[in-house]
Amino acid sequence: MPAHPPIMPGDAAGLAEAARLLCAGKLVAFPTETVYGLGADATSDRAVAAIFEAKGRPSFNPLIVHLADSDRALTLVQSIPVAERLAEAFWPGALTLVLPRAPDCPVSLLASAGLDTLAVRVPSHPLAHRLLDAVDRPIAAPSANRSGRISPTRASHVAEEFDADTVALILDGGATEVGLESTVVGFDGAAPVLLRPGGIAAEQIERVAGPLRVSGSDPDAPTSPGQLESHYAPAKPLRLDVLDPGADEILLGFGPDVPAGAGTTLNLSPAGDLREAAANLFALLREADRTGCASIAVMPIPNRDLGRAINDRLLRAATPRT
Ligand code: TXA
Ligand code: MG
Protein backbone atom coordinates (compact mmCIF):
# COMPACT_ATOMS: atom_id res chain seq x y z
CA MET A 1 0.00 0.00 0.00
CA PRO A 2 1.47 3.39 -0.95
CA ALA A 3 1.80 5.85 1.94
CA HIS A 4 -0.65 8.70 2.37
CA PRO A 5 0.73 12.24 2.02
CA PRO A 6 2.29 13.78 5.13
CA ILE A 7 0.11 16.17 7.13
CA MET A 8 1.65 19.19 8.87
CA PRO A 9 -0.10 21.63 11.20
CA GLY A 10 -0.52 25.20 10.00
CA ASP A 11 2.27 26.60 12.16
CA ALA A 12 5.34 28.47 10.93
CA ALA A 13 7.19 25.26 9.99
CA GLY A 14 4.18 23.82 8.15
CA LEU A 15 3.60 27.04 6.24
CA ALA A 16 7.25 27.38 5.27
CA GLU A 17 7.36 23.78 4.01
CA ALA A 18 4.09 24.19 2.08
CA ALA A 19 5.37 27.39 0.44
CA ARG A 20 8.71 25.79 -0.43
CA LEU A 21 7.02 22.77 -2.05
CA LEU A 22 4.58 24.91 -4.05
CA CYS A 23 7.43 27.06 -5.36
CA ALA A 24 9.23 23.85 -6.38
CA GLY A 25 6.25 22.85 -8.54
CA LYS A 26 4.80 20.23 -6.15
CA LEU A 27 1.16 19.68 -5.21
CA VAL A 28 0.14 20.86 -1.74
CA ALA A 29 -3.36 20.54 -0.26
CA PHE A 30 -4.40 23.46 1.93
CA PRO A 31 -7.55 24.58 3.74
CA THR A 32 -9.77 27.39 2.53
CA GLU A 33 -12.97 28.53 4.25
CA THR A 34 -15.01 26.52 1.69
CA VAL A 35 -13.24 23.18 1.14
CA TYR A 36 -9.63 21.95 1.00
CA GLY A 37 -7.92 22.84 -2.28
CA LEU A 38 -5.29 20.85 -4.19
CA GLY A 39 -2.83 23.64 -4.92
CA ALA A 40 -0.11 24.09 -7.52
CA ASP A 41 1.87 27.02 -8.93
CA ALA A 42 -0.58 28.40 -11.51
CA THR A 43 2.23 29.89 -13.58
CA SER A 44 3.74 26.44 -14.22
CA ASP A 45 2.16 24.35 -17.01
CA ARG A 46 3.77 21.22 -15.56
CA ALA A 47 2.51 21.83 -12.04
CA VAL A 48 -1.02 22.50 -13.33
CA ALA A 49 -0.88 19.32 -15.45
CA ALA A 50 0.03 17.42 -12.27
CA ILE A 51 -3.24 18.62 -10.68
CA PHE A 52 -5.29 17.10 -13.49
CA GLU A 53 -3.26 13.91 -13.32
CA ALA A 54 -3.80 13.64 -9.55
CA LYS A 55 -7.55 14.27 -9.81
CA GLY A 56 -7.91 11.61 -12.51
CA ARG A 57 -10.50 13.67 -14.35
CA PRO A 58 -11.34 12.53 -17.89
CA SER A 59 -11.38 16.17 -19.01
CA PHE A 60 -9.61 19.48 -18.41
CA ASN A 61 -11.96 21.86 -16.63
CA PRO A 62 -10.79 25.39 -15.97
CA LEU A 63 -9.45 25.86 -12.43
CA ILE A 64 -9.82 28.64 -9.90
CA VAL A 65 -6.67 30.63 -9.22
CA HIS A 66 -6.19 31.82 -5.61
CA LEU A 67 -4.49 35.05 -4.52
CA ALA A 68 -3.68 36.62 -1.16
CA ASP A 69 -5.55 39.86 -1.86
CA SER A 70 -7.82 41.66 -4.34
CA ASP A 71 -5.04 43.76 -5.84
CA ARG A 72 -3.03 40.71 -6.79
CA ALA A 73 -6.18 38.93 -8.09
CA LEU A 74 -7.43 41.81 -10.22
CA THR A 75 -4.10 42.42 -11.99
CA LEU A 76 -4.45 38.97 -13.60
CA VAL A 77 -7.74 39.85 -15.32
CA GLN A 78 -9.45 42.66 -17.19
CA SER A 79 -11.81 43.84 -14.54
CA ILE A 80 -15.08 45.74 -14.87
CA PRO A 81 -16.83 47.98 -12.30
CA VAL A 82 -19.50 45.45 -11.30
CA ALA A 83 -16.81 42.82 -10.67
CA GLU A 84 -14.91 45.30 -8.55
CA ARG A 85 -17.99 45.99 -6.46
CA LEU A 86 -18.39 42.24 -5.91
CA ALA A 87 -14.73 41.87 -4.99
CA GLU A 88 -15.05 44.75 -2.54
CA ALA A 89 -18.16 43.26 -0.96
CA PHE A 90 -17.19 39.57 -0.73
CA TRP A 91 -13.40 39.24 -0.78
CA PRO A 92 -11.78 37.70 1.06
CA GLY A 93 -14.47 35.03 0.87
CA ALA A 94 -16.37 32.30 -0.95
CA LEU A 95 -16.79 34.13 -4.26
CA THR A 96 -15.02 33.34 -7.53
CA LEU A 97 -15.04 35.86 -10.38
CA VAL A 98 -14.55 34.76 -14.00
CA LEU A 99 -13.13 37.59 -16.14
CA PRO A 100 -11.10 37.94 -19.36
CA ARG A 101 -7.41 37.20 -18.81
CA ALA A 102 -5.18 40.26 -18.73
CA PRO A 103 -3.02 40.53 -21.89
CA ASP A 104 0.16 39.70 -19.97
CA CYS A 105 -1.46 37.21 -17.58
CA PRO A 106 1.28 34.83 -16.35
CA VAL A 107 -1.16 32.01 -15.47
CA SER A 108 -0.83 28.75 -17.41
CA LEU A 109 -3.33 28.41 -20.26
CA LEU A 110 -3.97 24.90 -18.98
CA ALA A 111 -5.38 26.40 -15.76
CA SER A 112 -7.91 28.27 -17.96
CA ALA A 113 -8.42 25.10 -20.06
CA GLY A 114 -7.39 27.26 -23.01
CA LEU A 115 -10.18 29.82 -22.47
CA ASP A 116 -9.68 33.58 -22.70
CA THR A 117 -11.11 33.90 -19.20
CA LEU A 118 -9.67 33.21 -15.77
CA ALA A 119 -11.41 32.38 -12.50
CA VAL A 120 -9.90 34.25 -9.53
CA ARG A 121 -10.64 34.07 -5.82
CA VAL A 122 -9.27 35.54 -2.59
CA PRO A 123 -10.00 33.02 0.19
CA SER A 124 -10.63 34.24 3.73
CA HIS A 125 -9.10 31.31 5.63
CA PRO A 126 -6.14 32.75 7.58
CA LEU A 127 -3.88 29.80 6.70
CA ALA A 128 -4.73 30.08 3.00
CA HIS A 129 -4.04 33.80 3.18
CA ARG A 130 -0.65 33.34 4.84
CA LEU A 131 0.35 30.61 2.41
CA LEU A 132 -0.66 32.66 -0.65
CA ASP A 133 1.10 35.69 0.72
CA ALA A 134 4.27 33.65 1.34
CA VAL A 135 4.42 32.17 -2.17
CA ASP A 136 3.42 35.51 -3.74
CA ARG A 137 2.20 33.85 -6.91
CA PRO A 138 -1.18 32.62 -8.17
CA ILE A 139 -2.08 29.15 -6.90
CA ALA A 140 -4.46 27.00 -8.95
CA ALA A 141 -6.58 24.82 -6.68
CA PRO A 142 -9.57 22.64 -7.43
CA SER A 143 -11.23 20.87 -4.52
CA ALA A 144 -8.75 18.29 -3.16
CA ASN A 145 -10.69 15.17 -4.08
CA ARG A 146 -10.31 12.66 -6.86
CA SER A 147 -12.74 13.00 -9.75
CA GLY A 148 -16.27 11.92 -8.89
CA ARG A 149 -15.77 12.07 -5.12
CA ILE A 150 -17.09 14.67 -2.73
CA SER A 151 -15.12 17.75 -1.75
CA PRO A 152 -12.95 17.38 1.37
CA THR A 153 -13.58 19.53 4.43
CA ARG A 154 -10.87 18.04 6.68
CA ALA A 155 -7.19 17.19 6.21
CA SER A 156 -7.96 13.50 6.86
CA HIS A 157 -10.41 13.47 3.93
CA VAL A 158 -7.64 14.67 1.63
CA ALA A 159 -5.21 12.07 2.98
CA GLU A 160 -7.68 9.30 2.06
CA GLU A 161 -7.79 10.49 -1.55
CA PHE A 162 -4.14 10.63 -2.56
CA ASP A 163 -0.78 9.02 -1.90
CA ALA A 164 2.53 10.63 -1.05
CA ASP A 165 3.90 10.25 -4.59
CA THR A 166 1.16 12.54 -5.87
CA VAL A 167 0.56 15.07 -3.11
CA ALA A 168 3.70 16.31 -1.36
CA LEU A 169 2.00 17.76 1.73
CA ILE A 170 -1.35 18.43 3.35
CA LEU A 171 -1.52 21.56 5.48
CA ASP A 172 -3.95 20.93 8.34
CA GLY A 173 -6.32 23.78 9.20
CA GLY A 174 -9.00 21.70 10.90
CA ALA A 175 -12.55 21.48 9.58
CA THR A 176 -13.48 24.07 6.97
CA GLU A 177 -16.13 26.59 7.96
CA VAL A 178 -18.39 26.84 4.90
CA GLY A 179 -18.12 23.23 3.72
CA LEU A 180 -19.45 24.12 0.27
CA GLU A 181 -17.48 25.41 -2.74
CA SER A 182 -17.36 29.09 -3.66
CA THR A 183 -20.07 30.77 -5.75
CA VAL A 184 -18.78 31.27 -9.30
CA VAL A 185 -19.90 34.43 -11.14
CA GLY A 186 -19.03 35.30 -14.74
CA PHE A 187 -20.08 38.28 -16.84
CA ASP A 188 -21.84 38.71 -20.15
CA GLY A 189 -20.68 42.22 -20.88
CA ALA A 190 -21.55 43.98 -17.62
CA ALA A 191 -24.32 41.52 -16.71
CA PRO A 192 -23.43 39.03 -13.96
CA VAL A 193 -24.11 35.34 -14.64
CA LEU A 194 -24.23 32.65 -11.96
CA LEU A 195 -21.97 29.87 -13.21
CA ARG A 196 -22.06 27.76 -10.02
CA PRO A 197 -24.09 28.25 -6.84
CA GLY A 198 -21.95 28.07 -3.72
CA GLY A 199 -21.08 29.45 -0.32
CA ILE A 200 -22.41 32.96 -0.98
CA ALA A 201 -26.13 33.05 -1.77
CA ALA A 202 -27.29 34.39 -5.15
CA GLU A 203 -29.50 36.90 -3.27
CA GLN A 204 -26.44 38.37 -1.57
CA ILE A 205 -24.70 38.73 -4.94
CA GLU A 206 -27.78 40.39 -6.43
CA ARG A 207 -27.86 43.00 -3.68
CA VAL A 208 -24.47 44.21 -4.93
CA ALA A 209 -24.52 43.37 -8.64
CA GLY A 210 -28.19 43.51 -9.61
CA PRO A 211 -30.19 40.68 -11.20
CA LEU A 212 -28.18 37.51 -11.80
CA ARG A 213 -28.81 35.38 -14.83
CA VAL A 214 -28.34 31.68 -14.15
CA SER A 215 -25.99 30.11 -16.68
CA GLY A 216 -27.89 28.08 -19.24
CA SER A 217 -31.31 29.24 -18.05
CA ASP A 218 -31.99 31.43 -21.08
CA PRO A 219 -31.48 29.51 -24.32
CA ASP A 220 -32.12 32.64 -26.40
CA ALA A 221 -29.50 34.71 -24.64
CA PRO A 222 -26.67 35.69 -26.98
CA THR A 223 -23.34 34.33 -25.89
CA SER A 224 -20.59 36.87 -25.85
CA PRO A 225 -17.45 35.70 -27.64
CA GLY A 226 -14.52 35.01 -25.39
CA GLN A 227 -16.54 35.38 -22.22
CA LEU A 228 -18.63 32.40 -21.30
CA GLU A 229 -17.61 29.63 -23.64
CA SER A 230 -17.31 26.33 -21.88
CA HIS A 231 -14.38 25.08 -23.90
CA TYR A 232 -11.55 26.24 -26.10
CA ALA A 233 -11.77 25.83 -29.87
CA PRO A 234 -9.24 27.15 -32.41
CA ALA A 235 -10.43 29.22 -35.36
CA LYS A 236 -8.88 26.76 -37.83
CA PRO A 237 -10.44 23.35 -38.49
CA LEU A 238 -8.89 20.53 -36.46
CA ARG A 239 -8.37 16.97 -37.72
CA LEU A 240 -7.66 14.23 -35.19
CA ASP A 241 -5.71 10.95 -35.28
CA VAL A 242 -3.74 12.08 -38.33
CA LEU A 243 -0.68 10.18 -39.58
CA ASP A 244 -0.64 11.70 -43.08
CA PRO A 245 -0.90 15.47 -42.73
CA GLY A 246 -1.76 17.47 -45.87
CA ALA A 247 0.66 20.00 -47.39
CA ASP A 248 -1.35 22.97 -46.10
CA GLU A 249 -1.78 21.56 -42.59
CA ILE A 250 0.27 22.22 -39.50
CA LEU A 251 0.95 19.01 -37.59
CA LEU A 252 0.59 18.84 -33.83
CA GLY A 253 2.79 15.85 -33.11
CA PHE A 254 3.11 13.52 -30.16
CA GLY A 255 6.10 11.29 -29.49
CA PRO A 256 9.32 10.67 -31.39
CA ASP A 257 7.75 9.08 -34.49
CA VAL A 258 6.52 12.07 -36.46
CA PRO A 259 5.46 10.91 -39.97
CA ALA A 260 8.14 11.39 -42.61
CA GLY A 261 7.35 14.23 -44.99
CA ALA A 262 5.24 16.18 -42.47
CA GLY A 263 5.65 19.90 -43.03
CA THR A 264 5.48 22.40 -40.18
CA THR A 265 5.31 20.47 -36.94
CA LEU A 266 4.81 21.45 -33.33
CA ASN A 267 5.33 18.58 -30.91
CA LEU A 268 3.21 18.23 -27.75
CA SER A 269 5.87 15.95 -26.30
CA PRO A 270 8.76 14.62 -28.39
CA ALA A 271 9.42 12.10 -25.60
CA GLY A 272 5.81 10.86 -25.68
CA ASP A 273 5.13 12.01 -22.10
CA LEU A 274 1.42 12.62 -21.50
CA ARG A 275 1.98 15.08 -18.65
CA GLU A 276 4.25 17.18 -20.86
CA ALA A 277 1.69 16.98 -23.67
CA ALA A 278 -1.05 18.20 -21.32
CA ALA A 279 1.16 21.04 -20.14
CA ASN A 280 1.76 22.15 -23.75
CA LEU A 281 -1.69 21.43 -25.20
CA PHE A 282 -3.45 24.82 -25.16
CA ALA A 283 -0.35 26.93 -25.75
CA LEU A 284 0.59 24.86 -28.84
CA LEU A 285 -2.99 24.77 -30.15
CA ARG A 286 -2.99 28.56 -29.99
CA GLU A 287 0.42 28.71 -31.66
CA ALA A 288 -0.79 26.41 -34.45
CA ASP A 289 -3.91 28.54 -34.85
CA ARG A 290 -1.76 31.65 -35.41
CA THR A 291 0.18 30.14 -38.35
CA GLY A 292 -0.78 30.60 -41.99
CA CYS A 293 -1.74 26.92 -42.41
CA ALA A 294 -5.30 26.10 -43.49
CA SER A 295 -5.96 23.55 -40.77
CA ILE A 296 -4.44 21.76 -37.79
CA ALA A 297 -3.77 18.01 -37.85
CA VAL A 298 -3.17 16.21 -34.57
CA MET A 299 -1.38 12.88 -34.26
CA PRO A 300 -3.04 10.10 -32.23
CA ILE A 301 -2.69 10.53 -28.46
CA PRO A 302 -2.80 7.35 -26.31
CA ASN A 303 -6.15 7.20 -24.53
CA ARG A 304 -4.86 6.55 -21.01
CA ASP A 305 -3.99 8.68 -17.96
CA LEU A 306 -3.88 12.36 -18.97
CA GLY A 307 -4.32 11.24 -22.60
CA ARG A 308 -8.04 10.78 -21.92
CA ALA A 309 -8.41 14.40 -20.86
CA ILE A 310 -6.30 15.57 -23.82
CA ASN A 311 -8.46 13.57 -26.25
CA ASP A 312 -11.65 14.84 -24.64
CA ARG A 313 -10.56 18.46 -25.12
CA LEU A 314 -9.28 17.81 -28.66
CA LEU A 315 -12.60 16.23 -29.59
CA ARG A 316 -14.50 19.27 -28.30
CA ALA A 317 -12.08 21.63 -30.02
CA ALA A 318 -12.62 19.73 -33.31
CA THR A 319 -16.40 20.05 -33.08
CA PRO A 320 -17.51 23.15 -35.00
CA ARG A 321 -19.31 25.77 -32.94
CA THR A 322 -22.94 26.44 -33.73
O1 TXA B 1 -14.44 26.83 -3.03
C1 TXA B 1 -13.87 26.61 -4.10
O2 TXA B 1 -14.13 27.23 -5.13
C2 TXA B 1 -12.80 25.53 -4.10
C3 TXA B 1 -11.68 25.99 -3.19
C4 TXA B 1 -10.51 25.07 -3.17
O3 TXA B 1 -11.28 27.30 -3.54
N1 TXA B 1 -12.33 25.26 -5.43
C5 TXA B 1 -13.09 24.64 -6.35
O4 TXA B 1 -12.48 24.45 -7.58
O5 TXA B 1 -14.24 24.26 -6.14
P1 TXA B 1 -13.02 23.44 -8.71
O6 TXA B 1 -11.92 23.31 -9.71
O7 TXA B 1 -13.49 22.18 -8.07
O8 TXA B 1 -14.22 24.22 -9.38
C6 TXA B 1 -13.97 25.28 -10.27
C7 TXA B 1 -15.26 25.81 -10.86
C8 TXA B 1 -15.81 24.86 -11.90
O9 TXA B 1 -17.22 24.83 -11.80
C9 TXA B 1 -15.34 25.52 -13.18
O10 TXA B 1 -16.13 25.17 -14.29
C10 TXA B 1 -15.44 27.01 -12.83
O11 TXA B 1 -15.02 27.06 -11.49
N2 TXA B 1 -14.51 27.81 -13.65
C11 TXA B 1 -13.20 27.99 -13.47
N3 TXA B 1 -12.66 28.76 -14.43
C12 TXA B 1 -13.67 29.09 -15.25
C13 TXA B 1 -13.76 29.85 -16.46
N4 TXA B 1 -12.67 30.43 -17.01
N5 TXA B 1 -14.96 29.97 -17.04
C14 TXA B 1 -16.06 29.37 -16.50
N6 TXA B 1 -16.03 28.63 -15.38
C15 TXA B 1 -14.87 28.48 -14.77
MG1 MG C 1 -14.69 20.17 -7.28
Side-chain angles (χ1 to χ4, degrees):
M1 276 277 289
H4 290 308
I7 300 180
M8 285 181 82
D11 56 13
L15 274 166
E17 181 62 357
R20 185 188 71 77
L21 289 165
L22 283 171
C23 293
K26 304 288 187 205
L27 300 187
V28 172
F30 64 96
T32 80
E33 70 280 21
T34 59
V35 299
Y36 275 74
L38 183 61
D41 179 351
T43 65
S44 161
D45 290 319
R46 293 296 291 244
V48 174
I51 291 181
F52 287 109
E53 194 170 42
K55 290 208 44 127
R57 256 181 162 278
S59 182
F60 297 123
N61 273 9
L63 303 177
I64 297 169
V65 163
H66 300 69
L67 287 305
D69 54 57
S70 300
D71 284 349
R72 279 182 271 202
L74 293 174
T75 57
L76 298 176
V77 291
Q78 293 173 272
S79 192
I80 53 176
V82 61
E84 272 168 39
R85 288 205 304 278
L86 285 169
E88 173 99 359
F90 298 110
W91 279 351
L95 174 69
T96 294
L97 297 174
V98 175
L99 288 160
R101 293 167 64 103
D104 54 352
C105 180
V107 172
S108 160
L109 271 176
L110 185 59
S112 291
L115 298 173
D116 293 319
T117 52
L118 184 67
V120 287
R121 171 161 118 78
V122 178
S124 67
H125 195 292
L127 262 183
H129 174 79
R130 281 156 68 198
L131 180 62
L132 293 166
D133 192 50
V135 296
D136 193 21
R137 68 184 72 189
I139 296 296
S143 49
N145 52 281
R146 291 185 52 81
S147 174
R149 316 241 313 168
I150 57 167
S151 296
T153 56
R154 285 168 193 275
S156 61
H157 298 168
V158 183
E160 288 158 16
E161 297 279 305
F162 303 101
D163 59 46
D165 296 339
T166 310
V167 174
L169 180 66
I170 301 168
L171 202 57
D172 191 351
T176 63
E177 203 184 306
V178 180
L180 190 73
E181 288 94 337
S182 63
T183 304
V184 181
V185 175
F187 301 90
D188 186 359
V193 181
L194 183 68
L195 298 176
R196 178 179 76 179
I200 293 177
E203 291 79 2
Q204 283 178 275
I205 309 270
E206 289 190 318
R207 253 173 251 140
V208 174
L212 255 185
R213 207 175 74 210
V214 177
S215 176
S217 66
D218 179 1
D220 295 330
T223 52
S224 60
Q227 287 259 323
L228 297 172
E229 292 125 337
S230 58
H231 64 85
Y232 169 75
K236 291 189 205 304
L238 198 68
R239 282 211 304 141
L240 305 183
D241 293 323
V242 177
L243 288 168
D244 56 342
D248 55 351
E249 282 186 314
I250 179 159
L251 182 69
L252 209 54
F254 175 82
D257 303 320
V258 173
T264 315
T265 302
L266 297 169
N267 203 321
L268 290 165
S269 171
D273 172 20
L274 287 166
R275 190 192 288 187
E276 183 181 33
N280 288 329
L281 178 67
F282 292 110
L284 290 190
L285 271 174
R286 279 176 185 253
E287 197 176 324
D289 208 22
R290 282 194 303 265
T291 63
C293 298
S295 57
I296 305 168
V298 190
M299 278 178 68
I301 312 285
N303 209 37
R304 56 175 162 80
D305 306 323
L306 277 177
R308 288 190 304 146
I310 296 173
N311 284 324
D312 171 81
R313 282 293 146 174
L314 284 171
L315 203 60
R316 291 169 198 253
T319 307
R321 288 218 178 123
T322 46

